[in-house]
């Protein structure tokens, strides 16, 4: 009986952890999509690279390294638009 209860508790804990991980991944994906949408919008509006950098840092609380990573990824994926 104790063993079955332990299994049940383990499954419930696993489900909770899985839901939390899914939520976290969803928030991260949403943030990435928002960042790329902002980069695209600012690029289309002919906003300078330095202003784009500042906006990303400010609005998404990103480090210099994180901003550079997102900008590099955007440029790699959109070379035909640049």
């Amino acid at each position: 009986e104790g063993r079955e209860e332990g299994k049940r508790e383990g499954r419930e804990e696993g489900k909770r952890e899985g839901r939390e991980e899914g939520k976290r991944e969803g928030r991260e994906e949403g943030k990435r999509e928002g960042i790329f949408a902002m980069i695209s919008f600012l690029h289309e509006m002919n906003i300078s690279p330095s202003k784009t950098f500042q906006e990303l840092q400010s609005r998404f609380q990103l480090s210099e390294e994180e901003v550079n990573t997102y900008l590099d990824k955007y440029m790699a994926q959109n070379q035909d638009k640049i």
Side-chain angles (χ1 to χ4, degrees), residues 8-25:
R8 212 174 15 261
E9 288 174 4
R11 279 193 296 273
E12 289 303 315
E13 184 177 339
K15 286 179 184 179
R16 275 193 304 276
E17 288 175 3
R19 281 192 292 273
E20 287 304 313
E21 183 178 343
K23 288 178 186 178
R24 193 170 34 256
E25 288 175 0

Side-chain angles (χ1 to χ4, degrees), residues 55-68:
E55 286 296 320
L56 291 172
Q57 260 192 319
S58 170
R59 293 180 187 267
F60 294 97
Q61 292 83 45
L62 300 172
S63 69
E64 256 183 62
E65 184 178 334
E66 290 171 313
V67 173
N68 284 324

Side-chain angles (χ1 to χ4, degrees), residues 16-74:
R16 275 193 304 276
E17 288 175 3
R19 281 192 292 273
E20 287 304 313
E21 183 178 343
K23 288 178 186 178
R24 193 170 34 256
E25 288 175 0
R27 284 190 296 270
E28 289 172 8
E29 179 64 24
K31 182 177 179 178
R32 274 192 301 275
E33 289 176 3
I35 290 169
F36 286 124
M38 176 166 272
I39 294 170
S40 179
F41 174 75
L42 294 173
H43 178 75
E44 289 172 10
M45 299 303 293
N46 295 314
I47 303 300
S48 72
S50 63
K51 182 66 175 166
T52 297
F53 189 96
Q54 291 170 354
E55 286 296 320
L56 291 172
Q57 260 192 319
S58 170
R59 293 180 187 267
F60 294 97
Q61 292 83 45
L62 300 172
S63 69
E64 256 183 62
E65 184 178 334
E66 290 171 313
V67 173
N68 284 324
T69 298
Y70 280 111
L71 290 172
D72 289 347
K73 285 181 183 178
Y74 177 82

